[in-house]
Each structure stands twice: as structure tokens, then as C-alpha cells.
Amino acid sequence: MAYDEDLANRVWDLIGREPGIGEKRMFGGLALMLNGNMAVVIRGEGGLMVRVDPAQSEQLLTEPGAQPTQMRGRPMRGWITVEPSACAKDVDLRRWVDRGVTYTRSLPAK
């Protein structure tokens, strides 16, 4: 399944000028990389995967449309899956993308 190109364009509009940003197709979607680290993924199934501070995961999972990210049945610590409805509004999309970029910026460059 192809990822949502409209959603990808909206995310690019938010962070495309960020220094060190790039993209890589993976997981059936499009991963936006910051200094070599994944920050946000536009999922092939719709919505986003957002890299977050693992210490904040439980709190973030209380937000509408947020779910733990699982890959091949295993939880991915430090990642939140955001349903399409929870990133449909620009303000919500910006909040989630900012979280991914902010946390990823704190990681060492690859």
C-alpha cells in the first residue's frame, strides 16, 4: 500500500526547511530523517509514526488517536502511531510532527 502523499506534503511543508532533513522509503511508507535518525514516518496504512521521548510515551498515549507502535507484533519503545483522524487538522499534525522533530533533534547524528 502506498503512503498518503497529501499527508507527506503537509509534513514536508512543516519541516522541509529543517537543517539535516531527508527522506527514505521504508516500512511501506516514507520516513523523514533528521541528521540520519527517523523522526516521523508517513505510514502506508495511513497516519503517522512519531518518534517521542520514551519517558513521555504513556502520557502521549492518552491523546485521541494515539496508539503504541508495534512492528511485527512487538512494541517499539519511543514511537507512537497516530491515526489519520488525529492528524487531519493542521494544528494536530503540527503538534505531532513538532514532537518527533524535537525529540529526534536531541539524538546523536548518524
Side-chain angles (χ1 to χ4, degrees), residues 9-53:
N9 289 332
R10 291 174 58 216
V11 173
W12 265 112
D13 286 346
L14 293 173
I15 62 172
R17 292 184 179 97
E18 184 79 29
I21 198 75
E23 70 179 39
K24 188 173 187 179
R25 290 178 187 256
M26 57 177 46
F27 307 127
L30 182 69
L32 298 182
M33 316 287 283
L34 182 61
N35 298 322
N37 294 298
M38 283 190 297
V40 178
V41 177
I42 294 83
R43 301 175 63 230
E45 297 86 11
L48 303 173
M49 281 176 30
V50 179
R51 185 173 228 158
V52 298
D53 182 344

Side-chain angles (χ1 to χ4, degrees), residues 48 82 85-97:
L48 303 173
V82 182
S85 62
C87 54
K89 294 180 183 175
D90 289 341
V91 67
D92 296 328
L93 179 64
R94 177 177 294 281
R95 185 175 65 252
W96 282 110
V97 170

Side-chain angles (χ1 to χ4, degrees), residues 63-90:
E63 293 193 22
Q67 302 174 12
T69 297
Q70 293 193 7
M71 192 69 64
R72 297 184 180 172
R74 292 184 165 173
M76 290 181 60
R77 183 170 152 74
W79 286 90
I80 301 283
T81 296
V82 182
E83 292 300 313
S85 62
C87 54
K89 294 180 183 175
D90 289 341

